[in-house]
Amino acid sequence: MDRLKMLEKEGLLKSRQGSRAVGKFLQNKLAVLGLMVFAVILLASVFAPLITKYDPAMIDLRSRLSPPSWQHLFGTDKLGRDVFARVLYGGRISILVGFGGALGAALVGVSLGTYAGYKGGWLDRILLRVSEIFMAFPQIILVLLLVSILGQSLWNLLVIFTITGWGSVYRMTRSQMLSIREEEYVQALKAFGLSDALIAYKHMLPNALGPIMVNLTLSTAMFILEETALSFLGLGVPLHIPTWGNILNAAQDLTILQEAWWIWVPVGIVISAFVLSINFIGDGLRDAVDPTQQG
Amino acid sequence: MVYVDTILTVDNLHINFYTNNRCNEAVRGVSFQLKKGRTLCLVGESGCGKSVTASSIMRLLPPLSRIEEGRIIYHSEQGDIHLHELAANGPEIRSIRGAEIAMIFQDPMTALNPVYTVGFQIREAFLYHTKMAKAAMQQKAIELLRSMRIPAPEQRVNEYIHQYSGGMRQRAMIAMAMSCNPKILIADEPTTALDVTVQAQIFDLMNDLQKKHNAAILLITHDMGVVAELAHDVVVMYMGVAVENGPVEEVLTKPAHPYTSALLKSIPVLGQSRSKKLEPIRGSTPDPYNRPQGCQFRPRCDFATEKCLQEPEACSVGENHTVKCWHWEKVLANA
Amino acid sequence: MHKNSEVLLKIRNAQTYFPVQKGLLKRTVGHVRAVDKVSLNVYWGETLGLVGESGCGKTTLGKSILQLVPVTGGEFIYNFDGEEKDLRKLSKEEMMQARKRLQIVFQDPYSSLNPSFTIFGSLQDPLKKFGVKSKEERKRIIGDLLEAVNLHRDYMYRYPHEFSGGQRQRIGIARALSLQPELVICDEAVSALDVSIQAQVLNLLLELKEKHQLTYIFISHDLSVVEYMSDRIAVMYLGKIVELAQAEDLFANALHPYTQALLSAIPVAEVGRKRKRIVLEGNVPSPVNPPPGCAFHPRCPYAMEVCKSRVPELKTYVLDGKEHQVACHLAADKVGAPAKSRQAEVDSNATN
């Protein structure tokens, strides 16, 4: 406090330039750490070809199940594929599925929630019930259903995540809109007779985006975990495409679990680190956009 | 000068806030004396530091703030207690809070606990500050509610705060505040959220209580009408400075500070209709992080000169009437 | 040019009830009678003050005029350049055009501007909708509006958080004026402002009224402010108008016991004017279940038997040659029989 007082006296402190939220986010050490881990893993996946010379699908039967070495950083798997390369390339798909699922769910949930929350009435009431039904639907059964109808594919996974995920986004958007609806600037726009869609999407939605973005990051983490779980069970992305879940899938084999730890431990750590970093970022964002918190 | 009947002295109080990595001098030089059986009004606009001053007396300041200098002395029957030196949440101040100095707030809904009955919360005050049997406490609680003119107190005592109407909530809070017969009652905008007819009821009640218990009341308000109606003494605050301090008749009829004078000219007075055009104060209150040099009112003041770049000292206008302005004589002559 | 005696808006029997719903099935168990059979005239170029305590329906009445809340019944007959039409019976398209003439200034300077948009961004959409197609033209208009409320034109590129409360309120006024309205409803327009800023905004409103020939409905709980602004004042209690008179007359000869109590309860910033205060007992009853008869009778110091059973009508009396409407059974005893002439016209409208 004394330091602050001195600085203020000398006129050294200025009103913080730029957004208060950004400043608060950067003050949160965990969030910044999360952002760093997130960036490293994301960039490594995106620029995978520059980092490793191996093709993740290249089978090399001469060096099967070799432990980590300078040649193969994370060792090789049953078919002699380089695990490090598979983790990097797998990250591309896993992150894509996570983001894609969260984005799809958000797109549907936000566009419905914005309008229904603003208009209220029967439309809102029906959508609310529908969203509850979707949220209550067991995901595994839905996956089995779609896989048996359409076959395994990446797109199926995205569709499933969107179908099961939009409900919570819808409810959140709706509750945001309900409170924004009472703001006087919305009444003023109504008094000008502007159209409902214009008021809801252009004028109100930007003010509801903060919490929605936080939700988006957190559900990304959730969907990455779900992809892993589904792929581990062999229900997710087709096995020939490397994803984090598919790499883990190999650990279903008891001998690998017991004797070839390098196949599943590194990827497990990467998954945990990535999900944890996203959660830290989400928490940081949530605190940063919350105007009631001081600091 | 300390009068025999002075019960609280606030002397040159300075309080800083350290939120958002900035230092805000919320209160910068407030002095007044609160006397037994009299009402002192702290009046000023939002952000002038009046509520901060009040909560500092109870040592209820938020964590990122502190008293920088000045003294707050409570002249109790057992001798002077230096409130500013006590630990912010220590046993000494807690034994004073509620028993000797009580506070009521603007919003009873947030000041009272919604999950306990009103009676329970009043009894808690007795439990902490007195030794009474449970039945006696209940009886006392009912009596208190009755003295606050709450209808059917036997039934109301067992009800929750949301079952009360707005005016009744405020009265329940006053009942709690008065439960241990405090010597000082601090009321922070107690009627701002209420309708005028209910406000009149509350003021009536506070007047009666003061007469009965000879309590000193420190009333925080932004409404000059309330000041005229209730106060004996008044302290006008602007940007953390107590610019004028004196008996209410003097300050309202012969304002010596340009801010007080301008403020009085800028509020519509009932019954004058449009015969008198309002004279607004120009500009707006400055940013607390970017304060003007010297007198805080200088940029908006009609009397401002070079001299006002220095912070004015307190000058004595009359008996007990002080003002912080270099040009108070001109202001008086101009009125 | 319009004359002051010309009626701009005739409100007849306006009713706005909000359903009270309970339980899972949202059954309607009752109604909040926010506005209960209100009839009044608003004349061209006047300022009609609307006062009352919280929950008396003054704000709802204002929003009902703008059709911002679902109105239950009654007529809102607006004078469209000589052609009288009921606002409730307009087609969607007609109503949209009518909105140009009716505007509102809100209470809360903090929630009345969209935090995500610059002032230009907030104000341009209505202009766009009503035919100002070029961006340059919109910029010019908004700049002029800001200057009209004593703000700098370049402020249009700033965000609301950069302004003080008083400045925001001016921007709110500028927005209300952007389509050159005829009738502006000021809903507690200065209540949230600091006293030293209030006067600036009040005087600005008076100036703008002169300049743009506006008609105001000035809603406030603060009688001193309403008195300063208004030509005529209507006092509301539990959704009904209890008294309506010229501002001076209302203060000199308040006829309704509620008005009298209200006037006496207001603290006045003048020392030595300790008037006799009429302290009302009890609280405002719930508008879901208003008392039978005169809604004020449980708190009225003069209540008689008749007050408990019969609702007093708003009748016009003539006091010193001026009209003074009051809804009280006692009024006739105080000032003699109600005037018949004008009353007949209001009544016939009010009862059918």
Side-chain angles (χ1 to χ4, degrees):
Chain A
M1 284 189 193
D2 288 310
R3 189 183 59 85
L4 276 178
K5 185 181 175 189
M6 208 180 65
L7 288 173
E8 185 81 52
K9 277 257 162 61
E10 288 165 10
L12 285 174
L13 292 179
K14 296 203 177 65
S15 288
R16 203 176 280 144
Q17 293 293 312
S19 157
R20 197 182 81 98
V22 172
K24 264 179 77 176
F25 183 83
L26 292 178
Q27 272 184 5
N28 188 333
K29 290 199 185 70
L30 274 181
V32 174
L33 181 77
L35 197 64
M36 271 156 36
V37 172
F38 174 79
V40 167
I41 297 177
L42 186 71
L43 290 177
S45 300
V46 171
F47 297 109
L50 300 179
I51 294 170
T52 174
K53 58 181 197 284
Y54 292 102
D55 180 336
M58 194 185 70
I59 298 172
D60 179 4
L61 291 174
R62 272 167 305 168
S63 52
R64 292 173 59 216
L65 288 176
S66 58
S69 62
W70 283 113
Q71 207 120 48
H72 298 286
L73 270 180
F74 288 177
T76 58
D77 65 1
K78 265 195 302 195
L79 298 174
R81 292 175 297 196
D82 181 62
V83 176
F84 184 61
R86 282 177 71 76
V87 169
L88 289 185
Y89 282 96
R92 288 178 163 190
I93 307 293
S94 289
I95 296 171
L96 185 79
V97 169
F99 269 123
L103 214 62
L107 226 56
V108 176
V110 167
S111 43
L112 289 176
T114 304
Y115 195 71
Y118 171 65
K119 283 297 275 184
W122 59 267
L123 178 71
D124 179 45
R125 245 173 286 167
I126 290 173
L127 281 174
L128 201 62
R129 295 290 161 265
V130 174
S131 76
E132 276 162 3
I133 292 170
F134 274 100
M135 283 167 78
F137 210 88
Q139 222 165 14
I140 297 286
I141 296 189
L142 201 67
V143 175
L144 282 173
L145 210 72
L146 275 173
V147 168
S148 59
I149 297 171
L150 303 170
Q152 264 189 359
S153 86
L154 199 96
W155 290 107
N156 278 354
L157 219 54
L158 287 182
V159 168
I160 290 160
F161 285 162
T162 305
I163 288 177
T164 52
W166 72 273
S168 65
V169 184
Y170 169 81
R171 293 168 79 88
M172 198 172 94
T173 312
R174 171 186 173 272
S175 72
Q176 286 287 318
M177 294 302 278
L178 283 183
S179 67
I180 294 175
R181 193 168 70 172
E182 302 305 318
E183 301 269 311
E184 284 175 346
Y185 64 85
V186 178
Q187 303 269 323
L189 292 168
K190 268 195 206 168
F192 280 115
L194 296 186
S195 76
D196 290 336
L198 187 74
I199 295 178
Y201 288 109
K202 183 174 173 193
H203 289 268
M204 290 168 72
L205 184 57
N207 295 305
L209 276 183
I212 294 171
M213 293 308 285
V214 174
N215 188 285
L216 190 76
T217 55
L218 294 179
S219 55
T220 302
M222 193 182 79
F223 286 137
I224 287 177
L225 281 181
E226 279 183 18
E227 184 274 328
T228 330
L230 289 175
S231 295
F232 179 78
L233 293 175
L235 295 169
V237 182
L239 265 177
H240 61 88
I241 303 174
T243 72
W244 289 344
N246 280 345
I247 301 171
L248 276 182
N249 183 277
Q252 276 188 351
D253 187 335
L254 201 65
T255 47
I256 287 185
L257 194 66
Q258 285 171 336
E259 280 153 34
W261 57 270
W262 58 87
I263 293 181
W264 53 271
V265 168
V267 74
I269 291 174
V270 168
I271 294 171
S272 300
F274 194 71
V275 167
L276 209 59
S277 74
I278 293 181
N279 282 331
F280 284 155
I281 294 171
D283 285 347
L285 277 179
R286 186 180 50 213
D287 292 348
V289 296
D290 182 358
T292 58
Q293 293 205 353
Q294 285 195 327
Chain B
M1 272 188 301
V2 172
Y3 291 87
V4 192
D5 55 353
T6 298
I7 192 148
L8 183 81
T9 305
V10 172
D11 185 26
N12 195 28
L13 187 66
H14 284 73
I15 298 167
N16 288 1
F17 275 69
Y18 297 93
T19 45
N20 290 324
N21 266 326
R22 297 295 306 269
C23 165
N24 176 15
E25 299 174 24
V27 175
R28 28 192 292 156
V30 171
S31 309
F32 58 82
Q33 290 178 340
L34 188 62
K35 302 190 183 77
K36 273 180 200 159
R38 283 168 77 89
T39 301
L40 181 113
C41 272
L42 276 181
V43 64
E45 297 173 86
S46 54
C48 74
K50 53 190 194 299
S51 289
V52 176
T53 307
S55 31
S56 73
I57 295 169
M58 291 287 270
R59 300 303 306 274
L60 288 172
L61 289 174
L64 286 174
S65 60
R66 67 176 179 194
I67 298 173
E68 298 290 320
E69 69 178 273
R71 298 182 303 165
I72 306 169
I73 303 166
Y74 170 52
H75 308 284
S76 78
E77 280 157 13
Q78 289 85 39
D80 289 1
I81 299 174
H82 291 245
L83 294 180
H84 60 281
E85 286 169 1
L86 299 181
N89 211 4
E92 296 99 335
I93 188 71
R94 272 188 284 145
S95 70
I96 292 172
R97 273 184 209 153
E100 311 268 323
I101 307 177
M103 190 158 178
I104 56 179
F105 301 88
Q106 180 177 343
D107 185 359
M109 272 315 261
T110 54
L112 294 175
N113 193 332
V115 301
Y116 294 112
T117 63
V118 172
F120 179 86
Q121 294 180 64
I122 296 177
R123 286 203 305 273
E124 254 204 334
F126 292 137
L127 205 63
Y128 190 79
H129 293 295
T130 64
K131 291 191 181 92
M132 251 195 273
K134 193 164 180 244
M137 286 195 281
Q138 178 76 352
Q139 207 49 46
K140 189 91 193 294
I142 293 172
E143 259 167 51
L144 260 172
L145 289 182
R146 183 176 292 124
S147 72
M148 298 297 141
R149 297 180 209 145
I150 289 178
E154 294 86 355
Q155 184 194 334
R156 287 284 179 184
V157 77
N158 293 322
E159 284 181 10
Y160 295 88
I161 196 67
H162 66 263
Q163 291 166 296
Y164 281 46
S165 71
M168 240 193 290
R169 283 175 195 157
Q170 200 57 267
R171 274 181 275 179
M173 186 153 70
I174 299 177
M176 264 181 72
M178 298 305 292
S179 57
C180 296
N181 287 327
K183 307 283 181 299
I184 302 173
L185 180 65
I186 301 174
D188 189 356
E189 305 257 11
T191 57
T192 307
L194 299 177
D195 286 323
V196 274
T197 55
V198 182
Q199 169 174 289
Q201 296 169 354
I202 300 289
F203 285 163
D204 236 37
L205 188 69
M206 282 171 59
N207 265 337
D208 282 0
L209 287 175
Q210 183 165 47
K211 277 188 197 126
K212 214 159 93 194
H213 301 286
N214 201 27
I217 295 180
L218 179 64
L219 182 71
I220 322 295
T221 180
H222 66 275
D223 187 340
M224 275 294 184
V226 172
V227 175
E229 202 93 358
L230 282 182
H232 300 106
D233 303 292
V234 56
V235 175
V236 183
M237 288 187 66
Y238 183 74
M239 294 298 288
V241 183
V243 293
E244 190 161 6
N245 184 346
V248 68
E249 305 82 24
E250 288 243 349
V251 174
L252 291 196
T253 52
K254 288 191 295 176
H257 196 281
Y259 175 63
T260 321
S261 155
L263 198 60
L264 286 169
K265 280 182 196 152
S266 73
I267 48 178
V269 172
L270 198 65
Q272 283 181 341
S273 191
R274 286 146 147 191
S275 52
K276 208 174 95 185
K277 184 123 170 112
L278 297 182
E279 297 170 35
I281 306 178
R282 61 194 150 85
S284 54
T285 37
D287 177 8
Y289 296 113
N290 189 13
R291 289 171 183 272
Q293 192 194 344
C295 174
Q296 298 292 298
F297 191 56
R298 179 175 54 84
R300 304 174 77 185
C301 180
D302 293 332
F303 298 89
T305 60
E306 282 286 299
K307 203 177 180 188
C308 301
L309 287 170
Q310 291 163 35
E311 190 125 12
E313 288 147 22
C315 310
S316 180
V317 179
E319 201 193 339
N320 298 330
H321 185 180
T322 58
V323 63
K324 278 185 186 163
C325 175
W326 297 114
H327 305 293
W328 64 269
E329 279 158 318
K330 257 190 263 168
V331 179
L332 272 183
N334 210 342
Chain C
M1 208 55 244
H2 296 274
K3 277 179 284 169
N4 261 11
S5 58
E6 205 172 318
V7 180
L8 178 66
L9 175 69
K10 268 188 221 165
I11 301 175
R12 292 292 174 265
N13 260 328
Q15 285 171 308
T16 303
Y17 291 179
F18 297 112
V20 181
Q21 292 172 332
K22 246 192 186 159
L24 257 180
L25 297 170
K26 298 268 162 73
R27 255 179 332 119
T28 302
V29 293
H31 287 94
V32 175
R33 303 184 185 191
V35 174
D36 196 7
K37 292 188 183 142
V38 166
S39 299
L40 57 84
N41 290 341
V42 181
Y43 296 94
W44 255 105
E46 77 165 344
T47 300
L48 176 71
L50 215 52
V51 286
E53 297 177 286
S54 54
C56 73
K58 54 189 190 303
T59 295
T60 309
L61 180 57
K63 289 190 176 164
S64 303
I65 295 172
L66 288 170
Q67 313 291 314
L68 283 179
V69 288
V71 176
T72 316
E75 295 172 328
F76 294 83
I77 299 161
Y78 193 87
N79 187 339
F80 290 93
D81 305 320
E83 198 185 338
E84 292 194 336
K85 281 184 196 162
D86 187 348
L87 291 175
R88 291 186 64 213
K89 294 191 181 119
L90 296 181
S91 69
K92 226 178 165 184
E93 178 54 34
E94 281 177 312
M95 188 61 214
M96 233 145 65
Q97 289 306 318
R99 290 202 182 278
K100 263 168 92 169
R101 298 168 186 254
L102 302 158
Q103 266 309 315
I104 180 160
V105 177
F106 291 99
Q107 165 175 14
D108 184 355
Y110 291 91
S111 91
S112 70
L113 294 173
N114 192 336
S116 313
F117 286 89
T118 60
I119 302 308
F120 177 73
S122 278
L123 265 62
Q124 67 158 341
D125 275 343
L127 289 173
K128 224 194 268 180
K129 181 188 161 84
F130 286 100
V132 187
K133 294 282 178 242
S134 101
K135 192 169 181 188
E136 287 313 307
E137 181 69 3
R138 290 200 296 271
K139 275 188 187 157
R140 191 189 59 75
I141 294 176
I142 292 171
D144 289 349
L145 284 168
L146 289 178
E147 275 177 2
V149 294
N150 306 332
L151 292 173
H152 198 280
R153 327 176 63 90
D154 289 344
Y155 283 6
M156 75 172 93
Y157 303 114
R158 296 196 182 176
Y159 286 90
H161 71 262
E162 298 173 61
F163 296 104
S164 69
Q167 286 173 322
R168 286 168 191 233
Q169 203 59 323
R170 285 158 199 260
I171 295 166
I173 293 169
R175 173 178 57 197
L177 296 182
S178 59
L179 297 174
Q180 296 168 337
E182 296 166 334
L183 176 65
V184 177
I185 295 172
C186 304
D187 185 4
E188 302 272 11
V190 298
S191 305
L193 300 180
D194 268 329
V195 266
S196 78
I197 307 297
Q198 261 190 19
Q200 293 176 356
V201 175
L202 289 177
N203 282 354
L204 174 70
L205 283 170
L206 287 177
E207 265 169 47
L208 291 172
K209 184 181 172 222
E210 285 291 302
K211 209 150 103 199
H212 300 276
Q213 280 140 15
L214 300 171
T215 306
Y216 284 151
I217 295 181
F218 194 89
I219 301 170
S220 178
H221 68 281
D222 186 340
L223 259 168
S224 342
V225 171
V226 171
E227 187 201 24
Y228 181 67
M229 295 298 290
S230 310
D231 301 303
R232 292 189 308 146
I233 296 175
V235 182
M236 284 186 76
Y237 187 78
L238 270 185
K240 287 185 184 333
I241 290 181
V242 294
E243 190 157 6
L244 199 168
Q246 300 283 327
E248 312 84 82
D249 297 343
L250 188 82
F251 286 87
N253 303 310
L255 289 180
H256 199 282
Y258 175 66
T259 316
Q260 292 166 356
L262 201 60
L263 285 173
S264 83
I266 293 163
V268 177
E270 251 174 36
V271 182
R273 229 178 75 171
K274 304 245 156 139
R275 301 133 308 149
K276 169 127 184 60
R277 195 156 50 201
I278 307 168
V279 176
L280 290 178
E281 288 300 318
N283 292 286
V284 183
S286 151
V288 182
N289 236 332
C294 173
F296 185 58
H297 85 255
R299 303 174 78 193
C300 181
Y302 313 107
M304 308 177 297
E305 265 321 300
V306 60
C307 303
K308 290 177 192 159
S309 52
R310 238 182 58 215
V311 182
E313 283 162 36
L314 190 66
K315 288 182 181 157
T316 306
Y317 299 84
V318 175
L319 273 166
D320 304 329
K322 287 185 204 130
E323 285 179 10
H324 194 127
Q325 288 178 289
V326 61
C328 176
H329 292 303
L330 287 144
D333 301 341
K334 288 187 208 151
V335 289
K340 283 281 179 259
S341 56
R342 205 23 215 287
Q343 186 56 34
E345 173 224 338
V346 174
D347 271 356
S348 70
N349 275 312
T351 42
N352 58 32

